[in-house]
Amino acid sequence: MVGSSSLLSKLTRYTVLSLILGVMIFPMLWMFRVSLMPAGSISGIASLSNLTITFVNFADLFATGNMLRPLINSVLIGVVVTLGNIFFCFMVAYSLARFRTRLNKILIASVLLVVMIPAHVIIIPLYILCVEAGIYDTYWALILPWLVNPIGIFLVKQYIESVPPSLEEAARIDGASELSIIFRIVMPVCKPALAVLAIQVFFTNWNSFLFPYILTLSDSLRTLPVALALFQGHQAVDWQHLMAGSSLAVLPVLALFLFLQRHIVSGITAGAIKQ
Amino acid sequence: MSRRIAFISLALFLMASTAIGQTKVTWWQFWTDPNIRPTIQAIVDEFEKQNPDIEVELTDLTWSNGHEKIVIAFSTGRGPDVVELGSDWIAQFAESGHLADLGEFVSSDSADFQGWGMATYNEKIYARPWFLGTRVMYVNRTLLTRAGYDNDFVPYTLDHFKEVAYKIDSLSNKIYGFGSNTAEKHRLYKKFLPFFWSMDAQLFTDDGKYCIISSVQAVDALIYYKELHDSTGYVGTQRQIEDAFLDGKIGFVQSGDWLLKRIELEKRNIDFVITNVPGLKYPGYSFKGGEFLAVNANSENKVAAKKLIRFITSPENQIKFCKANYSANPSSKEAQKDPYFAENENLQAFIRQIRLAVHPPVDPDWVHIENIIEEAIEDALFGQGLPATALRDAQIKITNLKKK
Amino acid sequence: MKQSRKTALLLASPWILTFLIFWAIPLVHSLIIGFTDYQLLKGSEWIGLANYKELLSDQSFLDSLSNTFIFVLGTIPVTTIISLGLALLVNRNFKGRALFRSAYFLPSITSMVVIALIFANLYERGGYVATLAAMIGFTPPEHGFLFDSSTALYSIMAMDVWMSVGYYMLIFLAGLKAIPDELYEAAEIAGASRIRQFFSITLPLLQPVALFILVINSIKSFQVFIEIFVMTSGKFETSTIVYFIYETGLRTDFRLGYASAAAYLLFLIIGGFSLIQFALMRRKQPLW
């Protein structure tokens, strides 16, 4: 290990790492760059030399209301679905972790089954179901089917199993009711797992496209990804506005990611190690 | 006693309110553009004023979701009384029995309107034409001059057209002769068919029984179109092509009246002229479509619905609408004579073209036939297929489809 | 005891309802309507296996099927290898490691729609990728990468690899962390080279993680849809099975029965693939 050779290997490593870094973040930077460009044609590398910056594209999006409603919808649905998942996944996970009934065994199998089912298999029947139940093209179609997700149940169940049952027994001796034990004592203990769950659910929901797209029709119900995908289909939408809309969809995720990185990473690796 | 009085007065009140009570007509329409929506609303307001017993409930549809919304509404029995339909949807809804037969209703004044062919399925009329639409050729005059042609020259025949397109294309690397649509669903075939028809090819025999899409004329048309596409084509989506045309990069593009509207609204500085599409003889045949108004077969307010349709499609209201929307092709013949159209050379080109425009067959299976035609064109333009084989395959597929 | 069973049931009820209403019933329902000619506006009749027979002779379905297989078989090995490489690269301790990890991971948490839109722009005629390609002496397709049958699908696949390597890198990293350091120390003492260590310790012990990645990646990749919808609308030989289901079931003429049959075929394919992979996972001796 001579100094110069280790310096050299360090240098190569950082060069390689930075090159990859460039490839990985360039498209995102390009999106932001285009979103701040004034109207006119953009073409490849040539337009990089143009340093003008304008926020007019964003202003337009809000002025025409094209993106405001979808933004509100995405936030609203994201929050409701995330809260629902925190609450319901916890309930179900507690039941599966703490009670050993025969039904629970079947339920665990059903959770596993749904984890393995490719979700797109049910688009047609889910569509029919929503049409016939009259929730097609309403907020319900974007919320009800997604309030409990099987991976979330697993995540929380795993966590509850690591919590010693003595915790509840102590409370039981104190005479607390079963439900208050579950929600007042066990739930707060599970905060770390619920945080990971919340982030995952919110991200998935925020980015989800196919189901929100096929289960709604009205422009007033569009979520951000759906509005963006359909935006380009309309006439006279230029890249600047499209990229401004895209930036709107990315910025909240980016901000959350920077703050909550550790939880996100641990959520993903937790899921992986289970296997 | 007092209870009885209350009961009677309630009953009286209910009877009275149904007597005065209005007929409610629901109308689903597609004009959501803030420039036009007020005109629609104004027409409806005027109608309600003239017919105090009828109340109109407007629902806006958009082109991205409208068709699906109508399909779902009809199949779950929640359709509107009056619905605006694109011409290529009429056969589908007529066949499934969701549209009322309007034959008797329109017989009195059908001679005053154009476009009945697109509303007729199995010899019954299912909708009333509102606006027609066709595509004409937009020509960039600056490029024409640069290529060495007189300022008021326009190409008339197909041979001539190709020659000029080549010349314009060779002006520079960044200049193209012809705006050629990429594989865009519902768009590509509409751009090819004018050349196809103008070269005397037909989709079906006159009796509609046999598909003849791989005739000699048809193959020639596809070869012609492919050469134009390969050698002089700026290939893109309709929007990209129109953008490039407005930026002065393309000599010829096929487009509808919406491009005229865009040029005016955006105050684009471009020296252009509109001509009819080129043909073996000038002018050639273009593609024809349109907006129609139909009545739900299960509507309980058919009389009021028809009244509303008649009002919306009256010549005065068509002119009002065309002015707001820069539309070029009202279905009413009387409306076409208005000075608004007569004094505008560009709009005249559209009115001339619609008389020489062909519409695809009114067939519930048209979506599939369209798809097959589009695949053949795609195969020839973008894939490995030769024009002759691509069209022959299409002919076999369409024939098989019709057999079913 | 009875009380606790009631509580268990009450607590589990959200899942029971969701499972029954939104999964079990739709799954059975779609199996049933797969045997009918159910179509909106037209009604439905039992037609047995006719849908499945028609699918197997429907050229556009077969094309979608083969495009999907090209997509799956093309992206998965490349994604797996690159993400393993990235994991090895950022597994060591060095300054700024966290920054690189996060940056590599960033695309995987971004909306697919947004990424597809950005790449649609980058792949355009005269766009970024075309300029780069021209620089290294490769003639880009005249009308842009997505408007050409010979490049469209591969361009989308490349984007997909780019997008997902960071995610699988993280999973590989977790797997690497689980390998005890003592093994490497012992190998070091025995005089094994770095390369030797990689092949006889790292790779064999990563096998379960790699198989797990294969399973989730193939379940995901078989369902590829959004990028196709946004970038090419299934044109230029890019239609996939889910795109086909969408197109026939929910766009062209609402043939819900036919589309359900296609969805079930997809289900069977993915199921078969997963079973094979599970079988591999259960094997005691390593594959390599």
Side-chain angles (χ1 to χ4, degrees):
Chain A
M1 293 286 164
V2 197
S4 69
S5 90
S6 91
L7 189 72
L8 189 74
S9 81
K10 236 183 190 171
L11 204 69
T12 4
R13 173 186 300 150
Y14 279 106
T15 318
V16 172
L17 284 167
S18 311
L19 275 177
I20 302 173
L21 179 85
V23 174
M24 296 312 274
I25 63 172
F26 172 76
M28 209 79 83
L29 295 177
W30 176 247
M31 169 188 77
F32 287 125
R33 178 71 202 99
V34 174
S35 73
L36 299 173
M37 275 185 197
S41 74
I42 48 155
S43 59
I45 291 169
S47 47
L48 271 191
S49 55
N50 180 353
L51 293 177
T52 342
I53 280 185
T54 166
F55 288 93
V56 71
N57 304 314
F58 288 92
D60 286 351
L61 287 184
F62 285 109
T64 55
N66 277 334
M67 286 294 144
L68 189 60
R69 185 66 192 255
L71 185 66
I72 295 171
N73 283 342
S74 275
V75 173
L76 192 80
I77 295 167
V79 168
V80 173
V81 170
T82 307
L83 288 178
N85 269 284
I86 293 176
F87 193 71
F88 292 130
C89 286
F90 171 75
M91 276 169 66
V92 179
Y94 185 86
S95 168
L96 297 187
R98 286 292 196 249
F99 297 93
R100 302 263 164 236
T101 62
R102 219 178 311 143
L103 178 69
N104 271 359
K105 270 187 200 147
I106 303 171
L107 287 182
I108 291 174
S110 74
V111 172
L112 255 181
L113 180 77
V114 174
V115 172
M116 297 306 299
I117 291 176
H120 293 183
V121 169
I122 61 159
I123 52 176
I124 302 287
L126 191 60
Y127 174 89
I128 299 172
L129 180 77
C130 288
V131 168
E132 282 172 1
I135 62 167
Y136 176 78
D137 201 28
T138 67
Y139 281 112
W140 295 117
L142 303 183
I143 293 173
L144 283 181
W146 322 108
L147 284 177
V148 206
N149 89 80
I151 297 178
I153 296 176
F154 252 89
L155 197 83
V156 183
K157 172 176 167 276
Q158 220 89 23
Y159 196 88
I160 296 175
E161 277 164 354
S162 72
V163 175
S166 52
L167 186 77
E168 291 125 278
E169 272 147 30
R172 221 165 268 146
I173 290 164
D174 288 348
S177 81
E178 201 63 20
L179 285 181
S180 84
I181 291 173
I182 295 168
F183 289 110
R184 294 242 175 90
I185 295 173
V186 184
M187 197 166 175
V189 176
C190 295
K191 249 190 213 156
L194 294 176
V196 170
L197 167 78
I199 295 163
Q200 281 212 321
V201 169
F202 188 81
F203 273 35
T204 316
N205 201 273
W206 184 264
N207 292 336
S208 133
F209 171 77
L210 182 61
F211 285 102
Y213 172 56
I214 63 158
L215 296 180
T216 62
L217 269 180
S218 308
D219 285 343
S220 59
L221 288 174
R222 297 304 195 190
T223 61
L224 261 183
V226 180
L228 277 175
L230 297 181
F231 201 22
Q232 60 156 7
H234 295 283
Q235 305 237 327
V237 173
D238 52 22
W239 282 116
Q240 283 86 335
H241 287 91
L242 210 45
M243 289 297 119
S246 300
S247 305
L248 280 184
V250 169
L251 281 172
V253 170
L254 207 60
L256 275 180
F257 178 65
L258 291 179
F259 283 113
L260 304 168
Q261 247 186 75
R262 197 162 298 156
H263 291 286
I264 296 169
V265 171
S266 71
I268 285 165
T269 42
I273 290 180
K274 301 282 130 67
Q275 305 283 326
Chain B
M1 194 61 182
S2 70
R3 210 189 250 181
R4 201 169 180 176
I5 295 172
F7 183 74
I8 292 170
S9 57
L10 182 70
L12 279 174
F13 174 75
L14 282 175
M15 274 161 68
S17 65
T18 36
I20 318 170
Q22 297 175 315
T23 318
K24 195 155 118 195
V25 176
T26 48
W27 176 26
W28 288 9
Q29 62 90 30
F30 284 85
W31 302 97
T32 53
D33 182 335
N35 293 316
I36 312 153
R37 187 60 170 71
T39 310
I40 297 282
Q41 189 63 51
I43 293 173
V44 166
D45 289 346
E46 179 61 31
F47 176 75
E48 285 180 332
K49 217 165 110 197
Q50 292 183 18
N51 301 278
D53 56 327
I54 303 177
E55 186 194 336
V56 179
E57 193 187 277
L58 263 180
T59 300
D60 295 342
L61 304 177
T62 63
W63 290 112
S64 59
N65 67 25
H67 180 243
E68 191 183 351
K69 230 176 186 162
I70 299 169
V71 169
I72 289 171
F74 275 145
S75 46
T76 50
R78 289 190 283 249
D81 296 311
V82 177
V83 62
E84 175 184 350
L85 294 175
S87 49
D88 42 355
W89 303 337
I90 293 173
Q92 183 191 10
F93 293 119
E95 200 220 26
S96 63
H98 290 97
L99 301 184
D101 179 356
L102 298 185
E104 240 169 85
F105 160 63
V106 300
S107 61
S108 62
D109 61 356
S110 62
D112 301 335
F113 292 86
Q114 276 182 317
W116 296 107
M118 291 179 265
T120 310
Y121 176 67
N122 279 346
E123 287 159 25
K124 282 189 189 141
I125 295 175
Y126 287 100
R128 189 173 172 94
W130 189 15
F131 299 101
L132 309 178
T134 187
R135 277 132 192 91
V136 293
M137 195 64 80
Y138 286 72
V139 188
N140 182 325
R141 266 189 172 145
T142 318
L143 295 180
L144 214 56
T145 325
R146 272 179 63 191
Y149 294 95
D150 279 347
N151 195 39
D152 31 298
F153 165 87
V154 285
Y156 293 109
T157 64
L158 284 160
D159 289 339
H160 214 169
F161 180 78
K162 193 192 265 176
E163 186 192 312
V164 181
Y166 273 74
K167 270 206 183 139
I168 291 178
D169 195 75
S170 59
L171 284 175
S172 125
N173 251 344
K174 286 179 179 149
I175 303 287
Y176 299 82
F178 174 66
S180 180
N181 283 66
T182 182
E184 247 189 309
K185 215 172 165 49
H186 307 309
R187 295 233 169 88
L188 176 59
Y189 82 97
K190 290 183 186 168
K191 297 304 155 66
F192 168 64
L193 285 185
F195 290 92
F196 176 89
W197 285 319
S198 297
M199 288 177 84
D200 280 350
Q202 276 180 283
L203 294 171
F204 294 95
T205 49
D206 288 337
D207 58 7
K209 276 190 188 151
Y210 304 99
C211 175
I212 47 169
I213 198 180
S214 66
S215 65
V216 181
Q217 292 91 329
V219 174
D220 281 349
L222 190 50
I223 291 172
Y224 178 97
Y225 192 80
K226 182 176 166 59
E227 276 176 27
L228 207 58
H229 165 92
D230 287 348
S231 321
T232 78
Y234 178 96
V235 179
T237 59
Q238 185 66 22
R239 177 170 63 81
Q240 290 169 333
I241 291 173
E242 286 168 8
D243 285 347
F245 178 76
L246 295 180
D247 289 340
K249 290 186 198 155
I250 310 182
F252 299 109
V253 299
Q254 282 169 283
S255 188
D257 47 11
W258 62 84
L259 184 57
L260 207 56
K261 173 181 177 184
R262 198 177 153 192
I263 292 172
E264 300 220 2
L265 286 182
E266 295 177 13
K267 303 199 174 59
R268 295 303 283 247
N269 186 18
I270 178 167
D271 185 16
F272 74 100
V273 63
I274 292 178
T275 74
N276 295 124
V277 297
L280 292 175
K281 297 193 306 266
Y282 182 82
Y285 298 100
S286 186
F287 185 92
K288 175 160 75 175
E291 297 306 307
F292 289 73
L293 293 169
V295 176
N296 185 346
N298 297 318
S299 163
E300 285 163 9
N301 308 308
K302 288 207 184 80
V303 178
K306 287 172 186 169
K307 219 177 202 177
L308 176 65
I309 290 184
R310 195 181 290 274
F311 187 79
I312 300 167
T313 54
S314 73
E316 310 81 68
N317 282 328
Q318 290 204 7
I319 295 168
K320 211 184 277 173
F321 181 94
C322 285
K323 283 181 181 165
N325 191 38
Y326 300 84
S327 289
N329 294 110
S331 66
S332 153
K333 290 179 188 166
E334 199 187 318
Q336 292 169 15
K337 290 182 195 134
D338 189 82
Y340 174 72
F341 298 102
E343 287 160 12
N344 186 327
E345 193 38 50
N346 286 330
L347 295 179
Q348 278 300 312
F350 276 95
I351 290 179
R352 272 199 311 274
Q353 187 72 67
I354 199 92
R355 293 189 197 122
L356 277 168
V358 184
H359 64 82
V362 184
D363 186 327
D365 280 326
W366 175 248
V367 273
H368 296 285
I369 299 173
E370 174 194 310
N371 211 6
I372 294 169
I373 298 173
E374 231 157 36
E375 275 170 15
I377 306 170
E378 276 170 48
D379 194 26
L381 296 188
F382 307 105
Q384 318 300 324
L386 296 168
T389 34
L391 288 177
R392 201 194 51 220
D393 290 349
Q395 178 160 326
I396 295 169
K397 281 187 205 162
I398 295 172
T399 308
N400 285 337
L401 185 79
K402 294 286 271 184
K403 261 188 220 153
K404 268 202 273 175
Chain C
M1 196 60 212
K2 249 189 191 160
Q3 185 60 36
S4 84
R5 193 185 280 170
K6 240 190 205 163
T7 319
L9 198 65
L10 178 77
L11 290 174
S13 61
W15 172 249
I16 299 174
L17 290 175
T18 306
F19 176 72
L20 288 180
I21 299 175
F22 296 112
W23 290 96
I25 294 175
L27 269 178
V28 176
H29 190 198
S30 77
L31 181 65
I32 295 170
I33 57 177
F35 296 117
T36 69
D37 64 355
Y38 184 28
Q39 183 174 1
L40 287 189
L41 296 174
K42 289 203 175 149
S44 120
E45 227 161 277
W46 189 266
I47 52 167
L49 285 169
N51 281 332
Y52 291 90
K53 274 185 205 143
E54 187 181 341
L55 277 173
L56 295 177
S57 62
D58 182 340
Q59 196 53 46
S60 51
F61 176 74
L62 296 176
D63 288 344
S64 307
L65 195 67
S66 84
N67 289 337
T68 309
F69 269 95
I70 293 175
F71 186 93
V72 170
L73 299 178
T75 54
I76 291 183
V78 180
T79 307
T80 313
I81 290 169
I82 295 181
S83 53
L84 175 59
L86 288 182
L88 292 170
L89 207 57
V90 296
N91 189 34
R92 309 263 207 80
N93 245 323
F94 57 87
K95 255 194 196 146
R97 183 174 69 162
L99 170 84
F100 287 108
R101 278 187 190 180
S102 322
Y104 297 172
F105 176 61
L106 198 58
S108 0
I109 51 154
T110 310
S111 148
M112 186 76 228
V113 171
V114 168
I115 286 185
L117 285 172
I118 299 175
F119 274 77
N121 179 287
L122 294 176
Y123 281 142
E124 263 197 331
R125 166 209 340 254
Y128 233 98
V129 180
T131 320
L132 287 182
M135 273 180 182
I136 57 167
F138 173 82
T139 329
E142 198 192 337
H143 311 303
F145 286 87
L146 298 175
F147 287 167
D148 193 308
S149 306
S150 59
T151 51
L153 185 59
Y154 298 107
S155 306
I156 296 176
M157 287 163 64
M159 177 190 81
D160 246 82
V161 170
W162 171 86
M163 182 181 183
S164 48
V165 285
Y167 176 75
Y168 298 114
M169 169 196 81
L170 279 189
I171 300 180
F172 267 128
L173 274 175
L176 285 172
K177 215 186 253 169
I179 301 176
D181 286 340
E182 295 84 51
L183 286 178
Y184 291 108
E185 281 156 21
E188 197 90 29
I189 290 163
S193 68
R194 272 275 168 78
I195 296 168
R196 184 69 204 277
Q197 286 177 27
F198 174 74
F199 281 105
S200 29
I201 301 174
T202 316
L203 263 190
L205 289 175
L206 275 184
Q207 196 191 297
V209 177
L211 276 169
F212 168 72
I213 287 178
L214 281 185
V215 172
I216 55 172
N217 197 1
S218 48
I219 292 180
K220 196 190 93 195
S221 301
F222 269 114
Q223 302 180 66
V224 50
F225 171 79
I226 301 177
E227 40 280 60
I228 310 295
F229 177 87
V230 174
M231 298 173 87
T232 59
S233 310
K235 296 291 184 182
F236 299 105
E237 288 164 38
T238 59
S239 178
T240 59
I241 303 179
V242 175
Y243 196 84
F244 176 88
I245 294 169
Y246 161 77
E247 187 75 44
T248 48
L250 304 174
R251 266 290 152 276
T252 315
D253 52 2
F254 301 89
R255 293 183 67 188
L256 297 172
Y258 192 51
S260 290
Y264 246 87
L265 276 185
L266 174 67
F267 186 34
L268 291 181
I269 292 170
I270 298 181
F273 236 70
S274 303
L275 279 183
I276 295 173
Q277 285 161 335
F278 278 131
L280 290 178
M281 245 191 242
R282 239 182 249 130
R283 276 168 61 129
K284 287 276 156 56
Q285 63 271 67
L287 282 170
W288 46 71

